[in-house]
Amino acid sequence: MSSSEPITGGGDGGEDRELTDVHVVELVATLTEDSSPDSIAEEQIAPLLPPSEKPKINIFSISYPRRKPNRDQVTRLAESDISVFTQFFTWAWSGSRYSGLLCMALSSTIYCIMEVLSDMFSGQAIPLFEITTTRCTIIAMLSFMWLRRSGQPMFGQTNRNLLVSRALIGYLSLLSFVYCIQRLPVSQAIILSFTTPVMASIAARVILREKLKIAELGGLACSFFGVLFIFRPMTTTQGWLAKAAEVTDSYAQGSHHIYAVLIGLFSSITGGISYCLIRAGAKASDQPVVTVFSFGILASPASVICTFAFEDIVLPNVYSFLLMVVLGIMAFFAEVLLARGLQLEKTSKVANIQYVEAALSQLWGMGLQRIAPSFGRVVGCSLILISAFCTMYIGPEKDTE
């Protein structure tokens, strides 16, 4: 095509449009001489179409695919964070080289968080046996749901006499500790409770025939001295206050104090034996939750009986009840991790990691300025952490038993 009808328009703009359209049509005709008549017709018409009818590809349509990768990238970052968190707990649970010690460290951390929550969100005063009843009931329910969901039998392949002994001795330890903490100053009761790892190591040597090395004894001694450094000033202060308050009934108070200390030592001894039974029961079963379930189904009704027998029932408000439920759930996971740690590692090594709870609670209190820093607390926390790190460094090598 060598010519075209002019496109009329007004003014100088119409003449410019006529000249431009002629050149465009001639260019298209020159480039498509070898094409078919239909394609030539289409290509001749295409330059004459108004701009609005051309394919709508603009900066907005190009930017849409660029937004999706950004969303996918954010999703992938979130998934990577979750996967790292999940992988850590899976690795800690799976029975790897560090699993036993890590499970015990996580259990101690959860107990420390429970202590912090109880201190920060303390509400209505609830009797100890009522708190124990709620906690043991939640532990029994969650362990039952865990075993049913995993398809495991309620008592597994473990000897039932072993599980009954574990539950009975464990509840005796809990019952005597509750009595001890009601009759003694808190610091003294805590020091007595932290003799449980030492008793557990001695009981494991006698009952389970575990070898107790000098390095492990040194680690336990270092951690226990750390606890003494932390709580000894409080014990001394409370002792002087108690002496100042004694006037006429000093002999009666002294005798009750001795009985309470003896019951606290009984709690530590039975707690150490309970650790050995937990280890034996967990090793005999695929699920360490079996030992937790056996304790829960015995401790729940026993705590109810003790609540009606020894204390007045206090109806908790909604805030206190929710706090008790949260603490009960956390106690369940702490007990499961403790049983898993005892299942995988020697009792003396796992028991030494339990002292981390005392160090973490003190560091948390000093960090929030709820506890005044002192030389004894700093030295005590340092001794506990050094002993725990040494145990983590030496401990993962499993001993053949």
Side-chain angles (χ1 to χ4, degrees), residues 71-117:
R71 295 177 182 176
D72 295 339
Q73 186 177 4
V74 173
T75 306
R76 289 174 184 174
L77 289 174
E79 291 177 353
S80 64
D81 294 338
I82 296 174
S83 64
V84 170
F85 185 76
T86 306
Q87 286 175 3
F88 173 75
F89 279 95
T90 304
W91 174 61
W93 181 269
S94 62
S96 61
R97 186 181 179 188
Y98 292 88
S99 291
L101 300 177
L102 284 175
C103 286
M104 191 62 192
L106 290 173
S107 176
S108 300
T109 304
I110 292 175
Y111 277 124
C112 177
I113 296 173
M114 290 171 60
E115 182 180 350
V116 171
L117 291 178

mmCIF file of all heavy atoms in Angstrom, residues 71-117:
data_model
loop_
_atom_site.group_PDB
_atom_site.id
_atom_site.type_symbol
_atom_site.label_atom_id
_atom_site.label_comp_id
_atom_site.label_asym_id
_atom_site.label_seq_id
_atom_site.Cartn_x
_atom_site.Cartn_y
_atom_site.Cartn_z
ATOM 1 N N ARG A 71 5.371 -11.500 50.143
ATOM 2 C CA ARG A 71 4.563 -12.204 51.132
ATOM 3 C C ARG A 71 5.115 -13.599 51.383
ATOM 4 O O ARG A 71 5.167 -14.067 52.516
ATOM 5 C CB ARG A 71 3.111 -12.290 50.655
ATOM 6 C CG ARG A 71 2.426 -10.936 50.549
ATOM 7 C CD ARG A 71 1.024 -11.088 50.001
ATOM 8 N NE ARG A 71 0.384 -9.787 49.843
ATOM 9 C CZ ARG A 71 -0.824 -9.631 49.303
ATOM 10 N NH1 ARG A 71 -1.506 -10.684 48.883
ATOM 11 N NH2 ARG A 71 -1.353 -8.419 49.186
ATOM 12 N N ASP A 72 5.502 -14.282 50.317
ATOM 13 C CA ASP A 72 6.082 -15.609 50.489
ATOM 14 C C ASP A 72 7.367 -15.541 51.292
ATOM 15 O O ASP A 72 7.652 -16.425 52.103
ATOM 16 C CB ASP A 72 6.363 -16.246 49.123
ATOM 17 C CG ASP A 72 5.074 -16.494 48.356
ATOM 18 O OD1 ASP A 72 4.018 -16.552 49.006
ATOM 19 O OD2 ASP A 72 5.148 -16.614 47.120
ATOM 20 N N GLN A 73 8.146 -14.474 51.091
ATOM 21 C CA GLN A 73 9.398 -14.342 51.827
ATOM 22 C C GLN A 73 9.142 -14.146 53.312
ATOM 23 O O GLN A 73 9.817 -14.727 54.165
ATOM 24 C CB GLN A 73 10.207 -13.170 51.275
ATOM 25 C CG GLN A 73 11.600 -13.037 51.885
ATOM 26 C CD GLN A 73 12.381 -11.911 51.244
ATOM 27 O OE1 GLN A 73 11.846 -11.191 50.402
ATOM 28 N NE2 GLN A 73 13.626 -11.774 51.638
ATOM 29 N N VAL A 74 8.131 -13.331 53.648
ATOM 30 C CA VAL A 74 7.785 -13.145 55.055
ATOM 31 C C VAL A 74 7.299 -14.449 55.663
ATOM 32 O O VAL A 74 7.657 -14.828 56.782
ATOM 33 C CB VAL A 74 6.713 -12.044 55.198
ATOM 34 C CG1 VAL A 74 6.219 -11.967 56.629
ATOM 35 C CG2 VAL A 74 7.269 -10.700 54.748
ATOM 36 N N THR A 75 6.469 -15.189 54.884
ATOM 37 C CA THR A 75 5.982 -16.479 55.378
ATOM 38 C C THR A 75 7.117 -17.453 55.592
ATOM 39 O O THR A 75 7.161 -18.188 56.581
ATOM 40 C CB THR A 75 4.955 -17.057 54.389
ATOM 41 O OG1 THR A 75 3.933 -16.087 54.158
ATOM 42 C CG2 THR A 75 4.352 -18.335 54.938
ATOM 43 N N ARG A 76 8.072 -17.454 54.648
ATOM 44 C CA ARG A 76 9.201 -18.363 54.802
ATOM 45 C C ARG A 76 10.054 -18.005 56.005
ATOM 46 O O ARG A 76 10.554 -18.888 56.710
ATOM 47 C CB ARG A 76 10.052 -18.318 53.534
ATOM 48 C CG ARG A 76 9.390 -18.981 52.325
ATOM 49 C CD ARG A 76 10.217 -18.770 51.073
ATOM 50 N NE ARG A 76 9.546 -19.311 49.902
ATOM 51 C CZ ARG A 76 9.995 -19.152 48.659
ATOM 52 N NH1 ARG A 76 11.112 -18.470 48.439
ATOM 53 N NH2 ARG A 76 9.326 -19.688 47.647
ATOM 54 N N LEU A 77 10.223 -16.706 56.273
ATOM 55 C CA LEU A 77 10.985 -16.303 57.452
ATOM 56 C C LEU A 77 10.297 -16.756 58.732
ATOM 57 O O LEU A 77 10.945 -17.256 59.659
ATOM 58 C CB LEU A 77 11.168 -14.785 57.469
ATOM 59 C CG LEU A 77 12.120 -14.207 56.417
ATOM 60 C CD1 LEU A 77 12.090 -12.688 56.453
ATOM 61 C CD2 LEU A 77 13.538 -14.722 56.621
ATOM 62 N N ALA A 78 8.955 -16.589 58.771
ATOM 63 C CA ALA A 78 8.224 -17.050 59.957
ATOM 64 C C ALA A 78 8.324 -18.558 60.115
ATOM 65 O O ALA A 78 8.525 -19.072 61.217
ATOM 66 C CB ALA A 78 6.756 -16.620 59.867
ATOM 67 N N GLU A 79 8.195 -19.285 58.977
ATOM 68 C CA GLU A 79 8.298 -20.737 59.039
ATOM 69 C C GLU A 79 9.692 -21.176 59.462
ATOM 70 O O GLU A 79 9.852 -22.161 60.178
ATOM 71 C CB GLU A 79 7.933 -21.347 57.690
ATOM 72 C CG GLU A 79 6.454 -21.207 57.340
ATOM 73 C CD GLU A 79 6.154 -21.769 55.967
ATOM 74 O OE1 GLU A 79 7.137 -22.133 55.272
ATOM 75 O OE2 GLU A 79 4.968 -21.849 55.606
ATOM 76 N N SER A 80 10.714 -20.451 59.018
ATOM 77 C CA SER A 80 12.071 -20.814 59.409
ATOM 78 C C SER A 80 12.281 -20.620 60.904
ATOM 79 O O SER A 80 12.915 -21.437 61.571
ATOM 80 C CB SER A 80 13.089 -19.988 58.623
ATOM 81 O OG SER A 80 12.967 -18.611 58.940
ATOM 82 N N ASP A 81 11.705 -19.513 61.471
ATOM 83 C CA ASP A 81 11.817 -19.304 62.914
ATOM 84 C C ASP A 81 11.105 -20.417 63.677
ATOM 85 O O ASP A 81 11.619 -20.948 64.665
ATOM 86 C CB ASP A 81 11.233 -17.947 63.301
ATOM 87 C CG ASP A 81 12.055 -16.794 62.724
ATOM 88 O OD1 ASP A 81 13.240 -17.026 62.417
ATOM 89 O OD2 ASP A 81 11.500 -15.685 62.580
ATOM 90 N N ILE A 82 9.889 -20.763 63.228
ATOM 91 C CA ILE A 82 9.153 -21.827 63.889
ATOM 92 C C ILE A 82 9.885 -23.148 63.750
ATOM 93 O O ILE A 82 9.956 -23.949 64.683
ATOM 94 C CB ILE A 82 7.720 -21.913 63.310
ATOM 95 C CG1 ILE A 82 6.947 -20.627 63.625
ATOM 96 C CG2 ILE A 82 6.982 -23.123 63.863
ATOM 97 C CD1 ILE A 82 5.593 -20.555 62.971
ATOM 98 N N SER A 83 10.442 -23.404 62.583
ATOM 99 C CA SER A 83 11.132 -24.661 62.383
ATOM 100 C C SER A 83 12.359 -24.769 63.274
ATOM 101 O O SER A 83 12.649 -25.841 63.799
ATOM 102 C CB SER A 83 11.524 -24.812 60.910
ATOM 103 O OG SER A 83 12.453 -23.797 60.534
ATOM 104 N N VAL A 84 13.077 -23.673 63.481
ATOM 105 C CA VAL A 84 14.237 -23.700 64.377
ATOM 106 C C VAL A 84 13.786 -23.992 65.802
ATOM 107 O O VAL A 84 14.403 -24.803 66.512
ATOM 108 C CB VAL A 84 14.996 -22.360 64.306
ATOM 109 C CG1 VAL A 84 16.051 -22.280 65.393
ATOM 110 C CG2 VAL A 84 15.641 -22.194 62.935
ATOM 111 N N PHE A 85 12.702 -23.353 66.233
ATOM 112 C CA PHE A 85 12.178 -23.589 67.566
ATOM 113 C C PHE A 85 11.734 -25.037 67.731
ATOM 114 O O PHE A 85 12.041 -25.698 68.725
ATOM 115 C CB PHE A 85 10.996 -22.644 67.803
ATOM 116 C CG PHE A 85 10.438 -22.694 69.198
ATOM 117 C CD1 PHE A 85 11.096 -22.081 70.245
ATOM 118 C CD2 PHE A 85 9.257 -23.356 69.469
ATOM 119 C CE1 PHE A 85 10.596 -22.119 71.541
ATOM 120 C CE2 PHE A 85 8.742 -23.404 70.751
ATOM 121 C CZ PHE A 85 9.412 -22.776 71.783
ATOM 122 N N THR A 86 11.040 -25.559 66.710
ATOM 123 C CA THR A 86 10.577 -26.947 66.775
ATOM 124 C C THR A 86 11.733 -27.920 66.695
ATOM 125 O O THR A 86 11.761 -28.935 67.406
ATOM 126 C CB THR A 86 9.578 -27.214 65.629
ATOM 127 O OG1 THR A 86 8.533 -26.238 65.675
ATOM 128 C CG2 THR A 86 8.993 -28.610 65.736
ATOM 129 N N GLN A 87 12.699 -27.623 65.857
ATOM 130 C CA GLN A 87 13.849 -28.510 65.730
ATOM 131 C C GLN A 87 14.638 -28.594 67.025
ATOM 132 O O GLN A 87 15.162 -29.661 67.367
ATOM 133 C CB GLN A 87 14.751 -28.029 64.596
ATOM 134 C CG GLN A 87 14.192 -28.292 63.206
ATOM 135 C CD GLN A 87 15.059 -27.703 62.113
ATOM 136 O OE1 GLN A 87 16.113 -27.133 62.393
ATOM 137 N NE2 GLN A 87 14.611 -27.833 60.883
ATOM 138 N N PHE A 88 14.723 -27.491 67.745
ATOM 139 C CA PHE A 88 15.464 -27.516 69.013
ATOM 140 C C PHE A 88 14.798 -28.465 70.005
ATOM 141 O O PHE A 88 15.469 -29.303 70.623
ATOM 142 C CB PHE A 88 15.546 -26.107 69.600
ATOM 143 C CG PHE A 88 16.134 -26.068 70.986
ATOM 144 C CD1 PHE A 88 17.496 -26.237 71.170
ATOM 145 C CD2 PHE A 88 15.314 -25.883 72.087
ATOM 146 C CE1 PHE A 88 18.043 -26.208 72.454
ATOM 147 C CE2 PHE A 88 15.855 -25.855 73.363
ATOM 148 C CZ PHE A 88 17.222 -26.014 73.542
ATOM 149 N N PHE A 89 13.466 -28.355 70.163
ATOM 150 C CA PHE A 89 12.784 -29.223 71.102
ATOM 151 C C PHE A 89 12.772 -30.676 70.618
ATOM 152 O O PHE A 89 12.865 -31.604 71.427
ATOM 153 C CB PHE A 89 11.355 -28.730 71.335
ATOM 154 C CG PHE A 89 11.270 -27.605 72.327
ATOM 155 C CD1 PHE A 89 11.263 -26.283 71.908
ATOM 156 C CD2 PHE A 89 11.225 -27.861 73.677
ATOM 157 C CE1 PHE A 89 11.190 -25.250 72.822
ATOM 158 C CE2 PHE A 89 11.151 -26.829 74.604
ATOM 159 C CZ PHE A 89 11.136 -25.519 74.176
ATOM 160 N N THR A 90 12.662 -30.858 69.302
ATOM 161 C CA THR A 90 12.737 -32.218 68.778
ATOM 162 C C THR A 90 14.101 -32.834 69.032
ATOM 163 O O THR A 90 14.223 -34.001 69.416
ATOM 164 C CB THR A 90 12.439 -32.211 67.270
ATOM 165 O OG1 THR A 90 11.162 -31.604 67.044
ATOM 166 C CG2 THR A 90 12.433 -33.623 66.716
ATOM 167 N N TRP A 91 15.141 -32.029 68.844
ATOM 168 C CA TRP A 91 16.497 -32.511 69.099
ATOM 169 C C TRP A 91 16.714 -32.787 70.578
ATOM 170 O O TRP A 91 17.346 -33.774 70.962
ATOM 171 C CB TRP A 91 17.500 -31.478 68.603
ATOM 172 C CG TRP A 91 18.932 -31.787 68.934
ATOM 173 C CD1 TRP A 91 19.647 -32.876 68.545
ATOM 174 C CD2 TRP A 91 19.813 -30.995 69.739
ATOM 175 N NE1 TRP A 91 20.922 -32.817 69.050
ATOM 176 C CE2 TRP A 91 21.058 -31.669 69.785
ATOM 177 C CE3 TRP A 91 19.684 -29.784 70.409
ATOM 178 C CZ2 TRP A 91 22.147 -31.169 70.480
ATOM 179 C CZ3 TRP A 91 20.773 -29.300 71.098
ATOM 180 C CH2 TRP A 91 21.997 -29.986 71.123
ATOM 181 N N ALA A 92 16.171 -31.929 71.447
ATOM 182 C CA ALA A 92 16.319 -32.144 72.887
ATOM 183 C C ALA A 92 15.561 -33.375 73.357
ATOM 184 O O ALA A 92 15.966 -34.022 74.325
ATOM 185 C CB ALA A 92 15.826 -30.911 73.648
ATOM 186 N N TRP A 93 14.472 -33.722 72.690
ATOM 187 C CA TRP A 93 13.649 -34.864 73.104
ATOM 188 C C TRP A 93 14.099 -36.168 72.454
ATOM 189 O O TRP A 93 13.840 -37.255 72.984
ATOM 190 C CB TRP A 93 12.181 -34.578 72.778
ATOM 191 C CG TRP A 93 11.239 -35.661 73.187
ATOM 192 C CD1 TRP A 93 10.825 -36.731 72.451
ATOM 193 C CD2 TRP A 93 10.570 -35.772 74.451
ATOM 194 N NE1 TRP A 93 9.945 -37.501 73.163
ATOM 195 C CE2 TRP A 93 9.767 -36.928 74.401
ATOM 196 C CE3 TRP A 93 10.570 -35.005 75.608
ATOM 197 C CZ2 TRP A 93 8.973 -37.341 75.471
ATOM 198 C CZ3 TRP A 93 9.791 -35.413 76.669
ATOM 199 C CH2 TRP A 93 9.003 -36.566 76.602
ATOM 200 N N SER A 94 14.757 -36.100 71.319
ATOM 201 C CA SER A 94 14.950 -37.270 70.457
ATOM 202 C C SER A 94 15.941 -38.291 70.979
ATOM 203 O O SER A 94 16.054 -39.362 70.422
ATOM 204 C CB SER A 94 15.402 -36.807 69.067
ATOM 205 O OG SER A 94 16.645 -36.136 69.165
ATOM 206 N N GLY A 95 16.681 -37.995 72.026
ATOM 207 C CA GLY A 95 17.653 -38.950 72.530
ATOM 208 C C GLY A 95 19.037 -38.750 71.954
ATOM 209 O O GLY A 95 19.813 -39.708 71.867
ATOM 210 N N SER A 96 19.351 -37.526 71.583
ATOM 211 C CA SER A 96 20.679 -37.237 71.059
ATOM 212 C C SER A 96 21.684 -37.166 72.201
ATOM 213 O O SER A 96 21.379 -37.481 73.347
ATOM 214 C CB SER A 96 20.663 -35.923 70.267
ATOM 215 O OG SER A 96 20.284 -34.847 71.110
ATOM 216 N N ARG A 97 22.885 -36.731 71.886
ATOM 217 C CA ARG A 97 23.954 -36.769 72.875
ATOM 218 C C ARG A 97 23.663 -35.891 74.093
ATOM 219 O O ARG A 97 23.971 -36.250 75.222
ATOM 220 C CB ARG A 97 25.257 -36.319 72.196
ATOM 221 C CG ARG A 97 26.486 -36.457 73.074
ATOM 222 C CD ARG A 97 27.718 -35.969 72.334
ATOM 223 N NE ARG A 97 28.902 -36.075 73.166
ATOM 224 C CZ ARG A 97 30.089 -35.576 72.833
ATOM 225 N NH1 ARG A 97 30.217 -34.930 71.686
ATOM 226 N NH2 ARG A 97 31.126 -35.724 73.631
ATOM 227 N N TYR A 98 23.061 -34.746 73.878
ATOM 228 C CA TYR A 98 22.798 -33.799 74.951
ATOM 229 C C TYR A 98 21.357 -33.842 75.449
ATOM 230 O O TYR A 98 20.960 -32.995 76.253
ATOM 231 C CB TYR A 98 23.115 -32.377 74.492
ATOM 232 C CG TYR A 98 24.577 -32.097 74.261
ATOM 233 C CD1 TYR A 98 25.152 -32.345 73.026
ATOM 234 C CD2 TYR A 98 25.378 -31.587 75.265
ATOM 235 C CE1 TYR A 98 26.501 -32.087 72.794
ATOM 236 C CE2 TYR A 98 26.719 -31.325 75.054
ATOM 237 C CZ TYR A 98 27.276 -31.574 73.809
ATOM 238 O OH TYR A 98 28.603 -31.319 73.597
ATOM 239 N N SER A 99 20.542 -34.772 74.978
ATOM 240 C CA SER A 99 19.103 -34.723 75.241
ATOM 241 C C SER A 99 18.769 -34.806 76.722
ATOM 242 O O SER A 99 17.932 -34.047 77.233
ATOM 243 C CB SER A 99 18.403 -35.859 74.485
ATOM 244 O OG SER A 99 18.447 -35.633 73.104
ATOM 245 N N GLY A 100 19.383 -35.736 77.455
ATOM 246 C CA GLY A 100 19.044 -35.890 78.860
ATOM 247 C C GLY A 100 19.307 -34.647 79.676
ATOM 248 O O GLY A 100 18.460 -34.201 80.469
ATOM 249 N N LEU A 101 20.473 -34.042 79.472
ATOM 250 C CA LEU A 101 20.817 -32.834 80.229
ATOM 251 C C LEU A 101 19.974 -31.648 79.794
ATOM 252 O O LEU A 101 19.566 -30.821 80.621
ATOM 253 C CB LEU A 101 22.304 -32.529 80.058
ATOM 254 C CG LEU A 101 23.266 -33.631 80.529
ATOM 255 C CD1 LEU A 101 24.698 -33.248 80.243
ATOM 256 C CD2 LEU A 101 23.073 -33.904 82.008
ATOM 257 N N LEU A 102 19.684 -31.550 78.501
ATOM 258 C CA LEU A 102 18.858 -30.443 78.019
ATOM 259 C C LEU A 102 17.433 -30.548 78.532
ATOM 260 O O LEU A 102 16.810 -29.538 78.872
ATOM 261 C CB LEU A 102 18.874 -30.406 76.493
ATOM 262 C CG LEU A 102 20.131 -29.847 75.836
ATOM 263 C CD1 LEU A 102 20.044 -29.977 74.323
ATOM 264 C CD2 LEU A 102 20.333 -28.385 76.212
ATOM 265 N N CYS A 103 16.891 -31.759 78.580
ATOM 266 C CA CYS A 103 15.531 -31.924 79.104
ATOM 267 C C CYS A 103 15.455 -31.496 80.570
ATOM 268 O O CYS A 103 14.499 -30.840 80.991
ATOM 269 C CB CYS A 103 15.092 -33.375 78.951
ATOM 270 S SG CYS A 103 14.681 -33.859 77.251
ATOM 271 N N MET A 104 16.476 -31.847 81.341
ATOM 272 C CA MET A 104 16.479 -31.433 82.742
ATOM 273 C C MET A 104 16.661 -29.921 82.867
ATOM 274 O O MET A 104 16.048 -29.281 83.740
ATOM 275 C CB MET A 104 17.596 -32.154 83.494
ATOM 276 C CG MET A 104 17.501 -31.999 84.994
ATOM 277 S SD MET A 104 15.969 -32.720 85.624
ATOM 278 C CE MET A 104 15.951 -32.098 87.286
ATOM 279 N N ALA A 105 17.485 -29.323 82.004
ATOM 280 C CA ALA A 105 17.653 -27.876 82.024
ATOM 281 C C ALA A 105 16.347 -27.170 81.665
ATOM 282 O O ALA A 105 15.979 -26.158 82.287
ATOM 283 C CB ALA A 105 18.770 -27.462 81.066
ATOM 284 N N LEU A 106 15.616 -27.700 80.680
ATOM 285 C CA LEU A 106 14.321 -27.119 80.322
ATOM 286 C C LEU A 106 13.317 -27.275 81.456
ATOM 287 O O LEU A 106 12.511 -26.366 81.723
ATOM 288 C CB LEU A 106 13.789 -27.771 79.044
ATOM 289 C CG LEU A 106 14.540 -27.443 77.756
ATOM 290 C CD1 LEU A 106 14.015 -28.295 76.605
ATOM 291 C CD2 LEU A 106 14.412 -25.965 77.412
ATOM 292 N N SER A 107 13.345 -28.423 82.132
ATOM 293 C CA SER A 107 12.451 -28.631 83.266
ATOM 294 C C SER A 107 12.742 -27.619 84.383
ATOM 295 O O SER A 107 11.813 -27.017 84.947
ATOM 296 C CB SER A 107 12.615 -30.055 83.789
ATOM 297 O OG SER A 107 11.839 -30.264 84.950
ATOM 298 N N SER A 108 14.012 -27.408 84.690
ATOM 299 C CA SER A 108 14.374 -26.431 85.725
ATOM 300 C C SER A 108 13.983 -25.018 85.313
ATOM 301 O O SER A 108 13.536 -24.212 86.142
ATOM 302 C CB SER A 108 15.876 -26.499 86.000
ATOM 303 O OG SER A 108 16.254 -27.784 86.455
ATOM 304 N N THR A 109 14.112 -24.717 84.022
ATOM 305 C CA THR A 109 13.718 -23.398 83.536
ATOM 306 C C THR A 109 12.216 -23.175 83.675
ATOM 307 O O THR A 109 11.758 -22.092 84.062
ATOM 308 C CB THR A 109 14.141 -23.232 82.072
ATOM 309 O OG1 THR A 109 15.553 -23.457 81.948
ATOM 310 C CG2 THR A 109 13.817 -21.836 81.561
ATOM 311 N N ILE A 110 11.435 -24.211 83.380
ATOM 312 C CA ILE A 110 9.985 -24.095 83.516
ATOM 313 C C ILE A 110 9.598 -23.891 84.981
ATOM 314 O O ILE A 110 8.727 -23.064 85.311
ATOM 315 C CB ILE A 110 9.289 -25.337 82.930
ATOM 316 C CG1 ILE A 110 9.464 -25.364 81.413
ATOM 317 C CG2 ILE A 110 7.803 -25.341 83.273
ATOM 318 C CD1 ILE A 110 8.918 -26.613 80.753
ATOM 319 N N TYR A 111 10.243 -24.613 85.881
ATOM 320 C CA TYR A 111 9.965 -24.414 87.304
ATOM 321 C C TYR A 111 10.334 -22.996 87.741
ATOM 322 O O TYR A 111 9.643 -22.392 88.586
ATOM 323 C CB TYR A 111 10.723 -25.437 88.133
ATOM 324 C CG TYR A 111 10.029 -26.775 88.245
ATOM 325 C CD1 TYR A 111 10.659 -27.950 87.857
ATOM 326 C CD2 TYR A 111 8.727 -26.864 88.750
ATOM 327 C CE1 TYR A 111 10.024 -29.173 87.954
ATOM 328 C CE2 TYR A 111 8.084 -28.083 88.846
ATOM 329 C CZ TYR A 111 8.736 -29.237 88.452
ATOM 330 O OH TYR A 111 8.094 -30.449 88.542
ATOM 331 N N CYS A 112 11.423 -22.470 87.200
ATOM 332 C CA CYS A 112 11.805 -21.096 87.518
ATOM 333 C C CYS A 112 10.753 -20.106 87.005
ATOM 334 O O CYS A 112 10.388 -19.151 87.701
ATOM 335 C CB CYS A 112 13.175 -20.785 86.917
ATOM 336 S SG CYS A 112 13.727 -19.086 87.152
ATOM 337 N N ILE A 113 10.255 -20.325 85.793
ATOM 338 C CA ILE A 113 9.205 -19.456 85.249
ATOM 339 C C ILE A 113 7.938 -19.543 86.095
ATOM 340 O O ILE A 113 7.247 -18.531 86.324
ATOM 341 C CB ILE A 113 8.933 -19.828 83.784
ATOM 342 C CG1 ILE A 113 10.163 -19.555 82.921
ATOM 343 C CG2 ILE A 113 7.737 -19.051 83.234
ATOM 344 C CD1 ILE A 113 10.040 -20.043 81.493
ATOM 345 N N MET A 114 7.620 -20.739 86.574
ATOM 346 C CA MET A 114 6.456 -20.888 87.456
ATOM 347 C C MET A 114 6.629 -20.071 88.732
ATOM 348 O O MET A 114 5.679 -19.423 89.211
ATOM 349 C CB MET A 114 6.260 -22.366 87.797
ATOM 350 C CG MET A 114 5.800 -23.229 86.644
ATOM 351 S SD MET A 114 5.832 -24.991 87.049
ATOM 352 C CE MET A 114 4.695 -25.023 88.438
ATOM 353 N N GLU A 115 7.828 -20.095 89.284
ATOM 354 C CA GLU A 115 8.087 -19.300 90.487
ATOM 355 C C GLU A 115 7.945 -17.810 90.210
ATOM 356 O O GLU A 115 7.374 -17.064 91.020
ATOM 357 C CB GLU A 115 9.491 -19.617 91.003
ATOM 358 C CG GLU A 115 9.873 -18.891 92.272
ATOM 359 C CD GLU A 115 11.269 -19.231 92.747
ATOM 360 O OE1 GLU A 115 11.875 -20.177 92.199
ATOM 361 O OE2 GLU A 115 11.768 -18.537 93.648
ATOM 362 N N VAL A 116 8.437 -17.377 89.052
ATOM 363 C CA VAL A 116 8.332 -15.963 88.701
ATOM 364 C C VAL A 116 6.872 -15.554 88.504
ATOM 365 O O VAL A 116 6.429 -14.499 88.980
ATOM 366 C CB VAL A 116 9.163 -15.679 87.434
ATOM 367 C CG1 VAL A 116 8.904 -14.264 86.920
ATOM 368 C CG2 VAL A 116 10.654 -15.866 87.716
ATOM 369 N N LEU A 117 6.102 -16.398 87.822
ATOM 370 C CA LEU A 117 4.687 -16.093 87.603
ATOM 371 C C LEU A 117 3.926 -16.052 88.925
ATOM 372 O O LEU A 117 3.054 -15.196 89.123
ATOM 373 C CB LEU A 117 4.072 -17.134 86.666
ATOM 374 C CG LEU A 117 4.541 -17.102 85.214
ATOM 375 C CD1 LEU A 117 3.876 -18.218 84.410
ATOM 376 C CD2 LEU A 117 4.234 -15.758 84.568
#
